[in-house]
Amino acid sequence: VQRKVAPFLQCFSGHYSKNSVWLFINLDRDLSKLHLPPQLKGDDRFGMKWRSRVQYLLRSCRLCQGSKRKRKRVCTIFAIHETMENLADRLYRLKLECKNAAKQMGVHELVDFDIVAVDVVSKAEQDILRKRMMKLLHDVESQEVPLSWIFLRGSFALHHSTYITRQELQAKANECGITEEELQQFCEFFTSFGSILDVQLIDPNSEYVIIKP
């Protein structure tokens, strides 16, 4: 359980409008424990320790919900397994568990319940992840991006820090011929798939943009 990053990313729910989520479950190890809370070290008051593991897992689906339009089936569940024993039955049980939890949490439309089984022993099946990734890249909606945006985004690689102030970012944008209005569109676009994180989207008073998330 990542107690620092996960709550921060949840704040951007609705802004990852071009993002997809892959959820991994170890079918051999976790199927019988999905109703139990996640294991936490120490006396931590983290709220998720009172929720089931499947609820904690599916909560990540909210990261890719859209704020302007509804998105559907953008979260894929991968069931990792080593044994083939009763595989079809176990996948059916997992599907029921995930469907019930997703309905309770209001993320049912975001989840693709055609669960992908991946045999980690079989080298052939390990190629499934690569194929799914290539399909995801080819199916994504295309959008024209100004060349000046590419230059600005590329300049972040030379920046010494993982974040930059809005004032510094605007100065860099001016060098690329990007206006203040266009810069806002730039930040929204690159935040939509997690390339950067514009904190001002969730806190209007913030002056920081995370350029190396």
Side-chain angles (χ1 to χ4, degrees):
V1 176
Q2 176 50 265
R3 295 181 291 278
K4 295 181 180 179
V5 176
F8 175 72
L9 292 179
Q10 290 291 342
C11 294
F12 284 89
S13 177
H15 296 290
Y16 291 130
S17 57
K18 294 180 176 61
N19 215 0
S20 296
V21 171
W22 284 9
L23 307 176
F24 291 85
I25 295 177
N26 188 314
L27 201 58
D28 303 328
R29 182 192 64 198
D30 298 328
L31 183 58
S32 61
K33 302 176 182 177
L34 290 177
H35 64 288
L36 299 175
Q39 293 179 339
L40 299 172
K41 295 180 180 179
D43 184 19
D44 201 321
R45 294 179 179 272
F46 188 57
M48 288 306 298
K49 69 180 180 180
W50 302 115
R51 301 187 186 186
S52 67
R53 298 183 185 201
V54 67
Q55 286 178 321
Y56 176 78
L57 184 73
L58 293 175
R59 191 169 182 256
S60 302
C61 295
R62 292 175 179 159
L63 287 174
C64 59
Q65 66 184 5
S67 58
K68 297 180 180 178
R69 64 183 179 90
K70 285 188 176 181
R71 306 183 72 206
K72 295 183 178 181
R73 296 166 63 91
V74 289
C75 299
T76 305
I77 300 175
F78 292 90
I80 308 299
H81 65 94
E82 294 183 13
T83 63
M84 298 295 295
E85 184 179 357
N86 299 323
L87 180 59
D89 179 60
R90 289 189 293 159
L91 287 173
Y92 179 72
R93 286 167 54 199
L94 176 60
K95 184 175 182 177
L96 285 182
E97 289 267 11
C98 291
K99 270 193 170 184
N100 291 336
K103 286 180 179 179
Q104 292 175 0
M105 301 173 66
V107 297
H108 185 265
E109 291 188 340
L110 293 172
V111 183
D112 183 353
F113 291 105
D114 292 331
I115 297 175
V116 182
V118 181
D119 184 353
V120 293
V121 178
S122 169
K123 291 185 178 180
E125 285 203 29
Q126 290 177 24
D127 199 40
I128 289 176
L129 297 180
R130 185 188 67 82
K131 291 179 179 178
R132 297 285 295 208
M133 175 61 77
M134 295 305 298
K135 183 179 185 301
L136 191 65
L137 292 174
H138 284 113
D139 290 348
V140 71
E141 295 180 7
S142 61
Q143 178 177 341
E144 291 188 2
V145 179
L147 189 60
S148 57
W149 289 17
I150 303 299
F151 281 126
L152 178 58
R153 179 63 187 88
S155 71
F156 297 162
L158 303 176
H159 196 71
H160 64 280
S161 179
T162 57
Y163 63 89
I164 193 172
T165 66
R166 196 76 177 195
Q167 187 176 3
E168 291 175 304
L169 181 58
Q170 185 62 65
K172 285 180 174 289
N174 292 340
E175 294 176 0
C176 297
I178 299 174
T179 66
E180 185 174 348
E181 181 180 353
E182 289 175 321
L183 180 59
Q184 181 61 35
Q185 297 172 357
F186 167 92
C187 290
E188 291 177 358
F189 173 76
F190 281 98
T191 298
S192 70
F193 53 89
S195 180
I196 67 172
L197 297 176
D198 182 9
V199 183
Q200 200 171 80
L201 291 173
I202 59 175
D203 180 5
N205 296 320
S206 176
E207 282 296 316
Y208 297 101
V209 178
I210 301 173
I211 56 176
K212 298 179 181 179

